[in-house]
Amino acid sequence: MSAHTFIDQYIGGKWIPSASPETLDVRNPATEEVLAVVPAGGAADVDAAVAAARSAARAWGAGDKAQRLAPLERLVAGLAAAQEEIAETVTAELGCPIGFATSVQAALPLGVANNYLGILAGYEFEERVGHSTVYHEPVGVVAAITPWNYPLHQIVAKVIPALAAGCVVVLKPAEDTPLTARLFARLVDEAGFPPGVFNLVIGTGTAAGAALAAHPDVDAVSFTGSTAVGRLIAEQAGRGIKRVTLELGGKSASVVLPGADLAKAVNVTVANVFANSGQTCSAWTRLLVPEEQYAEALAIAAEAAAKYVPADPARPETRVGPLVNAKQLDRVRGYINDAIAEGARVVVGGPQPPAGLATGFYVSPTILADVTTDMAVAREEIFGPVLCVMSFDDAEDALRIANATDYGLAGAVWAADDAEAAAFARRMDTGQVDINGGRFNLAAPFGGYKSSGVGRELGRHGLEEYLQTKSLQFRA
Ligand code: NAD
């Protein structure tokens, strides 16, 4: 593919030239080649996009849900028709294996968007509370700032419920994956929304992102990304008295209690961590097993890991591709080296690049043993295919270790029966727990405890992030 230069942003229902002459290179992480050049938009583009959104806000928000459902249905149909193009685009700019890009990166957001059609159709925006009528009204202009790891899912999980709620949106996607965002904007355009209801500004976080988050005419900010940037955004939102939703990092635990199916638990955990090259905020990056089963768990994990050989993500049989960029590669290797220096033992992988891949941001999928709660790898988000295996004495010890992190996004519990696993999960300080291999539910609220975030995405809870209530009192 030869590098195409784009100079436009999607503002006010049109593709218009960016106000910024600066550009960003979009690189294929597997080949390191420049795929495309996109504008590095800044404050002027953000001002234009927010103004376009504001001018569309009242009419869009005042319309009834049938008026919103019609273009949303056309958008969902567009997402369905573009599945192959979405998967290929995500593979090209993220390096995600094409199989996973098809089954998750393209299919999950379609499922999420579809689910919101049903929620919108059934949602009551008006209710009676005693002598009051309570209206659920849109918050207004929403700034959506998204990361690169699940580029379309993160966009859909914000933009679709915001539009369904009657809000208008300015999206600032991650600079590593703007082509997926452009594709989404094209589908919005084809679906025929009123101009200004959805706007896209591509640019860096420090220029476009910061200008958008701090913009006085933005009513709510929905951010997914690092905890460090999330904190900045929350501070700005606090000063502006803006609604804020934060989906941040994670350091989730997969806890295997005595009596559980050890082989299944370990195999599923390895697959969970290595998927998408470990670049998943909810990944179960700490595997906790009983001391007496530690050696057996490591042997099962090593055997499972052997199936994850880094390779060209465009090949259908590839299970693990490169990391997104050189910075992430340095960061992940740095964590592996630090862990070794702190006394962790490499069971599989390590800091050395995988054999035979001189080009591309590839890291060796790694399993670390003898990890303790004081090590950085046990506490901090690595965002790479690195699993830390830890042992515990009894269930209380397991709970102490599971909760020994500032994060609390997800987790898994494996036990002899669901009731025992659920009782343990209720004591974990985390927002989502999968019980004995229970599957991801795109309609269930998703979000963090502690430093993993504020607010929830997905399902009805995700819609309500974009609503505010107004109560009218009538004479009884
Ligand atoms: P990031 O927080 O730097 O970027 C996320 C988004 O925020 C991007 O669109 C970026 O341009 C924007 N941004 C950056 N600085 C900003 C600022 N000052 N104001 C407003 N917007 C700003 O995250 P990253 O560099 O893409 O990834 C770094 C780490 O973030 C990862 O290693 C991982 O720990 C975490 N992360 C978490 C998730 C998640 O889903 N929770 C997703 C991606 C990354």
Side-chain angles (χ1 to χ4, degrees):
M1 204 191 289
S2 66
H4 187 90
T5 298
F6 299 100
I7 56 154
D8 46 3
Q9 311 277 14
Y10 187 73
I11 296 174
K14 288 201 266 309
W15 291 99
I16 59 170
S18 177
S20 167
E22 284 162 43
T23 58
L24 297 166
D25 288 347
V26 187
R27 237 167 248 283
N28 179 326
T31 63
E32 301 182 34
E33 284 165 3
V34 176
L35 275 174
V37 177
V38 294
D45 289 323
V46 167
D47 284 347
V50 173
R54 174 59 67 197
S55 66
R58 197 165 283 281
W60 179 251
D64 63 17
K65 62 185 175 186
Q67 278 170 290
R68 303 206 285 270
L69 263 172
L72 283 167
E73 280 167 356
R74 293 194 293 270
L75 175 56
V76 171
L79 284 168
Q83 287 287 286
E84 205 177 314
E85 187 186 357
I86 292 166
E88 283 168 2
T89 306
V90 174
T91 293
E93 64 181 355
L94 177 64
C96 175
I98 188 70
F100 190 79
T102 304
S103 62
V104 177
Q105 298 277 9
L108 174 61
L110 174 60
V112 169
N114 233 324
N115 186 249
Y116 271 118
L117 294 181
I119 291 172
L120 176 56
Y123 198 80
E124 295 299 339
F125 288 86
E126 188 183 320
E127 61 181 313
R128 193 79 188 170
V129 178
H131 64 286
S132 303
T133 300
V134 177
Y135 294 91
H136 298 266
E137 299 190 338
V139 172
V141 176
V142 171
I145 301 177
T146 56
W148 41 262
N149 60 337
Y150 289 84
L152 185 63
H153 170 69
Q154 311 282 14
I155 289 171
V156 161
K158 297 186 189 312
V159 175
I160 302 287
L163 297 181
C167 291
V168 292
V169 178
V170 177
L171 168 67
K172 205 306 280 176
E175 39 277 62
D176 285 297
T177 53
L179 303 182
T180 305
R182 284 184 61 93
L183 201 171
F184 178 78
R186 191 192 84 206
L187 298 175
V188 170
D189 189 59
E190 288 167 4
F193 285 82
V197 164
F198 170 83
N199 307 273
L200 169 70
V201 175
I202 290 172
T204 64
T206 44
L212 181 59
H215 200 290
D217 213 19
V218 162
D219 300 299
V221 184
S222 180
F223 169 81
T224 299
S226 61
T227 299
V229 175
R231 192 167 279 124
L232 279 176
I233 288 185
E235 282 169 10
Q236 281 163 346
R239 274 195 292 275
I241 322 288
K242 298 182 200 308
R243 180 82 69 91
V244 66
T245 303
L246 304 172
E247 293 291 342
L248 309 174
K251 191 73 208 178
S252 300
S254 176
V255 182
V256 189
L257 295 173
D261 182 340
L262 183 70
K264 182 177 176 200
V266 173
N267 274 293
V268 175
T269 301
V270 168
N272 174 287
V273 174
F274 289 172
N276 210 36
S277 292
Q279 301 166 127
T280 304
C281 48
S282 54
W284 308 331
T285 48
R286 297 178 299 148
L287 172 62
L288 277 51
V289 295
E291 177 64 48
E292 53 279 12
Q293 292 179 298
Y294 194 61
E296 191 186 350
L298 287 177
I300 299 167
E303 201 184 323
K307 290 186 270 195
Y308 292 83
V309 180
D312 178 1
R315 292 196 350 225
E317 66 278 14
T318 297
R319 287 177 170 222
V320 58
L323 296 175
V324 69
N325 58 35
K327 192 174 135 212
Q328 286 297 116
L329 179 59
D330 279 354
R331 177 188 153 101
V332 173
R333 284 212 191 117
Y335 269 113
I336 298 171
N337 278 318
D338 289 354
I340 295 167
E342 287 184 279
R345 172 164 54 101
V346 173
V347 178
V348 170
Q352 72 287 352
L357 292 166
T359 306
F361 308 123
Y362 290 96
V363 68
S364 304
T366 296
I367 295 181
L368 298 171
D370 305 341
V371 174
T372 51
T373 51
D374 54 330
M375 294 181 189
V377 281
R379 310 183 84 95
E380 296 172 20
E381 187 173 51
I382 302 172
F383 236 54
V386 181
L387 176 65
C388 298
V389 189
M390 306 168 82
S391 67
F392 60 81
D393 302 334
D394 55 22
E396 288 309 308
D397 194 34
L399 188 69
R400 179 189 61 79
I401 298 170
N403 287 338
T405 150
D406 291 339
Y407 292 114
L409 190 56
V413 182
W414 309 82
D417 63 67
D418 285 0
E420 184 192 351
F424 186 94
R426 291 295 305 271
R427 298 167 71 203
M428 291 168 78
D429 301 330
T430 191
Q432 283 237 342
V433 186
D434 296 348
I435 301 297
N436 281 325
R439 280 182 304 112
F440 181 72
N441 179 356
L442 58 74
F446 181 93
Y449 278 33
K450 302 193 283 188
S451 296
S452 286
V454 176
R456 294 292 178 267
E457 293 199 305
L458 302 181
R460 182 175 56 77
H461 298 79
L463 180 77
E464 289 173 348
E465 290 288 320
Y466 300 102
L467 293 168
Q468 57 191 343
T469 55
K470 178 183 286 171
S471 304
L472 304 190
Q473 285 65 246
F474 292 88
R475 288 169 294 171

